[in-house]
Amino acid sequence: MQNFTYNASPVRVVFGSGTVKKLSSEISRQKLTAPLLISTPGQVNQAETLKKNLDGKIAGIFTEATMHTPTDVTDKAVEFAKSVKADVVVSIGGGSTIGLGKAISIRTDLPHICIPTTYAGSEMTPILGETADGQKKTKSDPKILPGTVIYDVDLTMTLPLALSATSGVNAIAHSGKLP
C-alpha cells in the first residue's frame, strides 16, 4: 500500500434545473443580508435577474469583471464592497467573474457564493490567478475556495454552441491538472 495525504476542501454544491432560484435561501441559511452581485459588463442582465430574484435586497452590483482578474479592478471592487457594506460576494458568470469574486473574498474575508454559467471549473478550486503590471500570477490558499456553488444547468444551456464547446474543452484540459 502506498501512503498519501488528502486534504478535503468542503464546498456546498447546489445542483439542478432552476437552482439559481435557491440563492435567497442560501444567503439566508448563512445568516447574510447584503449580497454584492458580480458580473462582467456583458452579463449585467444576469446580475439584474439575480437582483429581481432577491426582491431587490442587495448591497449592490459590480459589473466590471474582466479576464485574468486585473488587480486594479479588484481594488476598485473591494472598495465598492466596503462602501455598500456587503456581507457576501455572489459571482455569476464564467472564470472572469468567479476569479474576481475569489479575489474580493480573499481580500475582505467575505463569504463567496458562485453561480457558474460556463464549464471552466474555477469555482471548485482554491486557486486565484491575478494580473498586475502585465504579469499574471497565481496563488493557492484553501480560503480562496468558494463556500457555495450553485450549478443551474439551465444557465449553461443558454451558452452559444461555440462558447459551450470552448468552455467544455477548457474544463477537460483543467481536469488533467488535478493531482
Side-chain angles (χ1 to χ4, degrees):
M1 178 163 84
Q2 191 173 25
N3 294 341
F4 68 91
T5 301
Y6 173 71
N7 290 321
S9 299
V11 174
R12 179 175 169 82
V13 174
V14 180
F15 179 88
S17 178
T19 53
V20 73
K21 292 183 177 151
K22 295 184 178 188
L23 175 60
S24 180
S25 62
E26 282 300 307
I27 291 169
S28 294
R29 184 185 68 77
Q30 296 180 47
K31 297 179 177 37
L32 301 166
T33 60
L36 172 60
L37 309 181
I38 306 293
S39 77
T40 63
Q43 294 169 312
V44 173
N45 61 334
Q46 290 177 323
E48 290 292 339
T49 298
L50 289 183
K51 178 180 177 180
K52 183 178 176 186
N53 290 347
L54 295 170
D55 296 323
K57 297 175 185 171
I58 65 169
I61 299 177
F62 188 86
T63 61
E64 298 178 38
T66 189
M67 287 178 57
H68 308 297
T69 317
T71 55
D72 60 324
V73 172
T74 301
D75 294 342
K76 187 175 179 181
V78 165
E79 288 307 311
F80 183 72
K82 290 176 182 176
S83 75
V84 297
K85 297 179 175 48
D87 63 2
V88 59
V89 177
V90 177
S91 55
I92 184 164
S96 298
T97 305
I98 292 169
L100 179 58
K102 287 177 168 184
I104 296 166
S105 177
I106 195 70
R107 284 186 172 85
T108 61
D109 287 326
L110 293 176
H112 185 195
I113 299 173
C114 292
I115 306 170
T117 59
T118 67
Y119 310 117
S122 176
E123 68 278 358
M124 295 300 287
T125 71
I127 299 168
L128 173 61
E130 295 182 288
T131 304
D133 300 321
Q135 296 283 357
K136 186 169 182 180
K137 296 182 181 177
T138 60
K139 58 182 152 189
S140 182
D141 185 320
K143 293 177 186 175
I144 293 172
L145 188 68
T148 303
V149 179
I150 299 175
Y151 287 109
D152 188 326
V153 296
D154 299 336
L155 294 176
T156 61
M157 298 305 284
T158 64
L159 284 174
L161 184 57
L163 183 55
S164 186
T166 302
S167 180
V169 169
N170 185 43
I172 292 167
H174 283 292
S175 71
K177 295 179 186 176
L178 296 175

